[in-house]
Amino acid sequence: MKHLEIELKTLLKKEDYIKLKEYFSDITPITQNNYYLDTCDYKLRSNKIAMRIRTFEDSAELTIKIPQAVGNMEYNQALTLEEAKKCLEECKLPQGMILEELSNRGVSPSGWLVLGCLTTVRYEKETSIGLMALDQSTYFDVVDYELELEVENGDQGSLDFQEFLQANDIEYKKAPSKLVRFIENMKKS
């Protein structure tokens, strides 16, 4: 599956996260483990491609994200938990759309490393302004909090997101992607 993802996000203070959990009180959170992959010389990162295997309780997916003029083109390939485990243990990608897309971009199908795992507890719900996700992520010795809004229209979404933050008295704080935050902290640890 391939789709254009237009996402707005802000990092949150812990107290804002706790306050926003009220808004999601009817939602059961989902835990997802994000295993980031790249080559030892960061071939994907240098090509601005992010790749992860995300595992859930009973399924998994392999994803690459490639920046566009607006948003990211996201490619998702469904995996079973067994397939995901095998990919992570052998550092080998399964046949399919992701491998083809990387090959088309001249990225070698081998030489992968698992950089590590970032675990997110996510509350997600459809709202009048878009798909909203409240995340608590844990990696290395870091815990951070983030609010994301996935929208169809970037300009309108940006206005709606700012309004939502103001209405909830939340200060906007630029949020680099989870992968970028992960790598910055990997270098420190």
Side-chain angles (χ1 to χ4, degrees):
M1 190 178 96
K2 166 184 166 179
H3 77 281
L4 182 65
E5 176 188 67
I6 301 173
E7 214 173 48
L8 306 155
K9 48 174 126 193
T10 182
L11 287 171
L12 298 169
K13 293 183 206 135
K14 185 174 186 177
E15 49 271 25
D16 290 331
Y17 170 80
I18 291 165
K19 182 171 65 176
L20 281 175
K21 268 173 78 169
E22 289 296 306
Y23 184 72
F24 292 85
S25 60
D26 57 329
I27 304 294
T28 303
I30 293 168
T31 299
Q32 42 193 43
N33 293 305
N34 300 291
Y35 297 92
Y36 295 111
L37 293 99
D38 206 332
T39 58
C40 57
D41 57 354
Y42 294 104
K43 175 79 88 202
L44 290 180
R45 194 172 154 87
S46 64
N47 283 290
K48 296 194 178 346
I49 299 172
M51 182 164 59
R52 69 166 182 243
I53 289 177
R54 176 177 278 171
T55 63
F56 302 95
E57 195 177 332
D58 50 13
S59 65
E61 65 185 9
L62 171 61
T63 302
I64 55 173
K65 292 186 181 190
I66 301 170
Q68 307 296 301
V70 174
N72 288 307
M73 190 56 70
E74 186 173 292
Y75 300 81
N76 289 308
Q77 184 175 329
L79 301 174
T80 64
L81 285 174
E82 279 306 303
E83 288 170 324
K85 186 174 181 238
K86 189 174 180 209
C87 290
L88 292 167
E89 284 172 357
E90 298 176 5
C91 289
K92 200 169 163 215
L93 299 182
Q95 290 303 313
M97 175 198 355
I98 304 289
L99 208 49
E100 284 172 30
E101 198 55 46
L102 292 173
S103 297
N104 293 344
R105 295 170 182 279
V107 177
S108 164
S110 60
W112 301 110
L113 291 175
V114 177
L115 303 177
C117 181
L118 176 148
T119 299
T120 299
V121 175
R122 169 168 283 184
Y123 295 83
E124 189 174 77
K125 79 190 229 177
E126 199 55 65
T127 70
S128 60
I129 61 172
L131 181 65
M132 200 172 278
L134 181 65
D135 291 345
Q136 174 183 317
S137 296
T138 310
Y139 48 104
F140 306 110
D141 55 357
V142 176
V143 176
D144 68 26
Y145 308 93
E146 168 181 40
L147 182 68
E148 293 182 359
L149 179 67
E150 201 169 313
V151 297
E152 299 291 320
N153 177 312
D155 294 336
Q156 184 59 50
S158 189
L159 292 171
D160 292 341
F161 192 56
Q162 290 302 329
E163 266 178 37
F164 179 86
L165 293 177
Q166 282 169 352
N168 288 279
D169 200 28
I170 293 169
E171 184 187 338
Y172 172 80
K173 186 172 180 218
K174 184 170 169 35
S177 72
K178 286 180 177 72
L179 173 60
V180 167
R181 299 192 320 254
F182 178 87
I183 287 176
E184 283 171 358
N185 280 281
M186 184 173 77
K187 290 175 178 167
K188 291 179 197 168
S189 66

